[in-house]
């Protein structure tokens, strides 16, 4: 029982990092209907940028703030340089461009930061774990959990209560109609990419604090896909819940099933769950059900 | 140059998709305060013309002036901000949102608050929000008689009501010129009469005073509502004038009314 609790709790905490990355994914989907396959690379960039600022001697909170600012700038630049010409093009074209972007970013990262694993030094979060009854949790995980909750609150409020949030959803729903109402697609896409970059920046910085940063962190982008699909592609709460569910399932699979196999159950398990959920609920747990009438 | 009574001037518009000429040197002038209809057989280029005026298509040749200002190269959202709104033939509502949210999006261009104001939601932001809400609730939803539906999800509403929400959203822009793309298509007789009443109201009531460009297949509606009518056939304008004249024009009868006569006589 104790092992179970420990596994679940750690799962929730790891899952909250997935949730952060999933948030960025959902945001771009919500505003443009595009699956951003470069999400892992955005996370990587976030991790490296904050690490760089940290090694320059900035305290971690400031490094994180600087990462957010750089993330916003990069998001706006990405829209300006790569995506603006694609306004009005089919969604599939834009998805393919994000594949191109992911290779481009990956190359850029290797060019700037190399391929060696780098760590935050001195460590930002004390190694001393927090005790909750009989369960122990690393402080990094606790903080990422808090960050995920905070971002969830901020973004949910943004979409529910501001006209920009509404405008972004409108753009995803029907670009032509949104434009005819005076909503600028340039603004919406720039904002979406800026926010996605920022969410990935937070996720990346926290991840970098767990195992250090190297290029393989980028694969997290794909690992998060089951979380996004599970929650429903355009639901912000869904991204958080999906991320946490995937974290927990992964941990449980690792804890209970890994010993019967040569390994790898942990990695496959989220995709198995994703497939099962899609069979039962094709729109995910919280997604919009598309209503089609002819 | 155009006289001040001309709100929309279309000059020599040419639009082709590959080798298919959709609009061939079409010119027309819409006067302030009128209901100007564009009719023609299927595929005559009516919706394409609206799309050029609205900014969704860019013609290869010709100019479009709105309030004397050239808008030919402006994107659709800039034209919307200048007071040019439209409704769609195939409904293009935000189907997963409520009626209120749909109409609210039409107010987007009139809102001035920034993110900081919105965050605090006090003073300016609150006053503005309340004023817009009152405008939407009391003027638009009441006028179009959809107030009781405000919290319903648009995609779940019957077709006729969706058409009304489309009009409500366009009206929320408080446009000077409204492009109506087949507002009656698919409506039953009662709904057609309601819609005609709404269009007359927003055109004639000085509170709105909206100039309308109407594309419509229902000849009864067109002849009853319009001040002037232009006829397109295979991308060219073949006639323009008051409804009575158009109905007598031999070219028009040959191209359009002739084959539609039976349908006109038995209009639903």
């Amino acid at each position: 029982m104790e092992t179970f609790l420990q596994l679940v709790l750690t799962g929730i905490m790891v899952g909250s990092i997935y949730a952060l990355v999933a948030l960025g994914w959902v945001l771009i989907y919500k505003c443009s209907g595009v699956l951003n396959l470069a999400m892992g690379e955005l996370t990587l960039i976030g991790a490296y940028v904050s690490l760089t600022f940290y090694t320059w001697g900035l305290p971690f909170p400031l490094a994180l703030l600087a990462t957010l600012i750089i993330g916003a700038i990069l998001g706006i630049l990405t829209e300006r340089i790569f995506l603006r010409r694609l306004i009005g093009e089919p969604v599939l074209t834009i998805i393919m461009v994000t594949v191109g972007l992911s290779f481009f970013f990956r190359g850029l990262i290797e060019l700037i930061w190399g391929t060696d694993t780098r760590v935050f030094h001195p460590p930002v979060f004390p190694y001393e774990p927090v005790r909750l009854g009989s369960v122990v949790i690393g402080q990094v995980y606790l903080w990422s959990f808090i960050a995920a909750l905070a971002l969830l609150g901020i973004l949910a409020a943004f979409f529910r209560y501001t006209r920009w949030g509404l405008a972004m959803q409108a753009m995803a729903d029907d670009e032509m109609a949104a434009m005819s109402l005076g909503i600028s697609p340039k603004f919406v896409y720039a904002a979406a990419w800026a926010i996605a970059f920022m969410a990935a920046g937070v996720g990346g910085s926290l991840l970098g604090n767990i195992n250090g940063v190297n290029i393989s962190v980028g694969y997290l982008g794909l690992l998060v896909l089951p979380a996004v699909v599970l929650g429903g592609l355009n639901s912000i709460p869904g991204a958080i819940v999906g991320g946490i569910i995937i974290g927990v399932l992964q941990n449980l699979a690792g804890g209970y099933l890994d010993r019967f196999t040569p390994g790898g159950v942990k990695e496959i398990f989220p995709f198995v769950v994703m497939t099962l959920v899609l069979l039962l609920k094709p729109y995910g747990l919280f997604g919009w059900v598309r209503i089609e009438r002819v | 140059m155009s006289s001040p009574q001309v709100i929309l001037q279309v000059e020599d518009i040419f639009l082709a998709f590959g080798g298919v000429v959709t609009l061939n040197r079409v010119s027309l002038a819409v006067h302030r305060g009128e209901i100007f209809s564009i009719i023609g057989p299927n595929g005559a280029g009516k919706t394409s013309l609206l799309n050029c005026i609205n900014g969704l298509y860019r013609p290869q040749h010709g100019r479009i002036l709105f309030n004397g200002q050239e808008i030919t190269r402006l994107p659709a959202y800039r034209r919307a901000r200048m007071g040019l709104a439209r409704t769609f033939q195939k409904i293009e509502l935000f189907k997963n949102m409520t009626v209120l949210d749909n109409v609210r999006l039409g107010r987007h261009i009139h809102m001035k608050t920034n993110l900081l104001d919105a965050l605090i939601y006090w003073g300016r932001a609150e006053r503005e929000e309340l004023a817009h809400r009152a405008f939407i609730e009391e003027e638009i939803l009441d006028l179009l008689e959809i107030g009781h539906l405000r919290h319903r999800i648009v995609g779940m509403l019957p077709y006729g009501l969706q058409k009304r929400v489309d009009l409500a959203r366009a009206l929320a822009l408080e446009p000077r010129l409204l492009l109506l793309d087949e507002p009656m298509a698919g409506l039953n007789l009662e709904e057609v009469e309601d819609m005609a009443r709404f269009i007359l109201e927003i055109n004639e009531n000085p509170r709105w005073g909206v100039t309308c460009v109407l594309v419509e297949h229902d000849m009864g509606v067109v002849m009853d509502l319009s001040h002037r009518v232009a006829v397109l056939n295979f991308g060219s304008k073949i006639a323009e004038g008051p409804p009575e004249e158009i109905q007598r024009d031999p070219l028009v009868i040959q191209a359009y009314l002739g084959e539609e006569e039976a349908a006109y006589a038995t209009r639903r």
Side-chain angles (χ1 to χ4, degrees):
Chain A
M1 190 60 207
E2 209 165 280
T3 335
F4 178 75
L5 253 183
Q6 174 75 49
L7 285 173
V8 169
L9 263 181
T10 324
I12 292 178
M13 303 293 158
V14 178
S16 60
I17 300 185
Y18 297 164
L20 279 174
V21 180
L23 261 182
W25 205 311
V26 166
L27 262 168
I28 291 185
Y29 185 82
K30 217 171 156 63
C31 314
S32 50
V34 168
L35 274 179
N36 172 22
L37 294 172
M39 204 58 216
E41 282 67 27
L42 303 197
T43 315
L44 257 184
I45 292 177
Y48 274 116
V49 169
S50 74
L51 187 131
T52 307
F53 280 120
Y54 188 68
T55 38
W56 285 350
L58 250 66
F60 186 68
L62 279 184
L64 195 58
L65 188 69
T67 309
L68 288 181
I69 295 168
I70 300 273
I73 295 170
L74 284 176
I76 292 165
L77 279 180
T78 307
E79 189 277 336
R80 183 72 197 85
I81 299 171
F82 299 103
L83 299 164
R84 182 162 300 179
R85 305 157 205 281
L86 296 169
I87 288 175
E89 295 291 323
V91 165
L92 191 63
T93 314
I94 308 177
I95 294 177
M96 292 322 288
V97 170
T98 69
V99 175
L101 275 178
S102 85
F103 284 107
F104 173 73
F105 285 142
R106 190 162 284 240
L108 203 65
I109 289 163
E110 287 186 20
L111 210 65
I112 300 175
W113 287 286
T115 50
D116 294 339
T117 302
R118 301 214 195 171
V119 290
F120 282 80
H121 188 79
V124 179
F125 301 99
Y127 288 130
E128 194 61 35
V130 182
R131 297 200 147 271
L132 293 171
S134 55
V135 182
V136 289
I137 294 162
Q139 292 204 13
V140 187
Y141 293 108
L142 210 57
W143 279 106
S144 55
F145 185 60
I146 293 168
L149 286 186
L151 273 180
L152 166 70
I154 293 169
L155 290 174
F158 177 76
F159 275 103
R160 178 158 307 167
Y161 298 114
T162 74
R163 64 189 166 101
W164 300 277
L166 202 58
M168 287 164 96
Q169 289 178 69
M171 192 58 78
D173 211 358
D174 191 326
E175 193 176 83
M176 195 163 78
M179 285 201 294
S180 79
L181 296 177
I183 298 167
S184 153
K186 297 173 195 167
F187 170 80
V188 166
Y189 295 142
W193 279 81
I195 299 174
F197 254 101
M198 294 196 300
V202 178
S205 318
L206 292 167
L207 266 176
N209 271 293
I210 297 173
N211 285 331
V213 191
N214 64 31
I215 209 90
S216 71
V217 169
Y219 293 116
L220 184 83
L222 270 188
L223 183 62
V224 162
L225 187 59
V228 182
V229 175
L230 187 67
L233 276 167
N234 45 28
S235 162
I236 288 178
I240 305 280
V241 174
I244 288 173
I245 291 178
I246 292 295
V248 171
L249 288 175
Q250 214 185 20
N251 242 19
L252 288 177
Y256 289 118
L257 300 177
D258 243 4
R259 69 187 93 147
F260 302 120
T261 63
V265 180
K266 215 178 163 177
E267 278 68 38
I268 308 176
F269 206 65
F271 289 91
V272 175
V273 175
M274 175 177 91
T275 314
L276 287 178
V277 168
L278 284 183
L279 281 175
L280 300 172
K281 294 204 64 149
Y283 299 99
L285 299 175
F286 297 90
W288 283 342
V289 177
R290 293 258 164 211
I291 305 154
E292 300 282 348
R293 279 194 194 160
V294 190
Chain B
M1 254 343 274
S2 58
S3 65
Q5 67 166 22
V6 172
I7 186 166
L8 177 79
Q9 179 123 16
V10 172
E11 285 177 3
D12 214 17
I13 287 294
F14 180 87
L15 176 76
F17 295 100
V20 182
V21 176
T22 316
L23 294 171
N24 192 9
R25 308 207 161 260
V26 174
S27 299
L28 44 87
V30 177
H31 298 166
R32 216 172 283 280
E34 72 179 345
I35 296 180
F36 185 94
S37 289
I38 301 168
I39 63 171
N42 282 325
K46 304 178 298 290
T47 296
S48 296
L49 181 56
L50 282 199
N51 284 346
C52 286
I53 298 171
N54 162 241
L56 294 177
Y57 291 165
R58 202 150 287 180
Q60 280 94 345
H61 183 268
R63 301 198 305 161
I64 300 167
L65 288 97
F66 179 57
N67 272 331
Q69 199 178 340
E70 174 153 5
I71 58 169
T72 324
R73 304 258 145 239
L74 292 183
Y77 64 89
R78 294 274 303 278
R79 302 187 197 197
R81 290 174 192 177
M82 294 168 74
L84 209 164
R86 75 170 292 174
T87 66
F88 292 90
Q89 175 184 4
K90 236 182 106 240
I91 294 176
E92 303 280 349
L93 288 165
F94 308 116
K95 289 200 171 58
N96 297 295
M97 296 185 192
T98 61
V99 170
L100 201 54
D101 278 347
N102 267 277
V103 181
R104 227 178 238 161
L105 277 160
R107 289 308 285 169
H108 185 81
I109 56 168
H110 292 291
M111 299 195 143
K112 302 282 183 299
T113 43
N114 58 38
L115 203 49
L116 196 65
D117 288 338
L119 198 64
I120 304 165
Y121 193 70
W122 185 71
R124 192 152 71 106
E126 188 180 5
R127 273 198 308 279
E128 189 186 70
E129 178 69 28
L130 292 178
H132 285 298
R133 200 174 296 171
F135 173 79
I136 291 170
E137 301 256 340
E138 285 157 27
E139 307 221 25
I140 297 178
L141 297 186
D142 279 3
L143 173 73
L144 300 181
E145 296 157 17
I146 48 177
H148 58 294
L149 304 171
R150 63 176 68 109
H151 295 301
R152 299 276 294 275
I153 299 291
V154 162
M156 309 295 281
L157 292 177
Y159 185 81
L161 290 175
Q162 292 195 16
K163 280 279 196 196
R164 268 193 222 182
V165 178
D166 194 8
L167 180 60
R169 187 179 64 180
L171 271 186
L173 289 155
E174 286 183 86
R176 302 319 313 147
L177 179 70
L178 179 57
L179 311 175
L180 297 155
D181 195 356
E182 299 200 21
M184 314 293 177
L187 300 187
N188 65 34
L189 188 55
E190 196 183 328
E191 289 168 332
V192 167
E193 280 169 1
D194 282 337
M195 189 61 86
R197 185 160 55 81
F198 298 144
I199 293 173
L200 279 177
E201 173 77 12
I202 58 180
N203 175 251
E204 285 172 1
N205 187 333
R207 165 68 189 88
W208 298 99
V210 180
T211 309
C212 296
V213 173
L214 175 68
V215 166
E216 185 50 59
H217 273 300
D218 188 323
M219 280 309 117
V221 168
V222 168
M223 296 307 166
D224 284 351
L225 294 186
S226 320
H227 298 101
R228 288 189 307 138
V229 180
V231 187
L232 290 183
N233 193 23
F234 294 114
S236 303
K237 188 173 87 173
I238 56 171
E240 183 184 313
E244 318 79 68
E245 244 171 65
I246 292 296
Q247 277 169 308
R248 285 195 303 267
D249 191 311
L251 258 178
V252 177
I253 293 169
Q254 188 191 350
Y256 187 69
L257 291 178
E259 60 182 54
E260 290 274 316
E261 218 160 31
Y264 178 36
T266 58
R267 200 191 115 202
R268 274 185 280 256

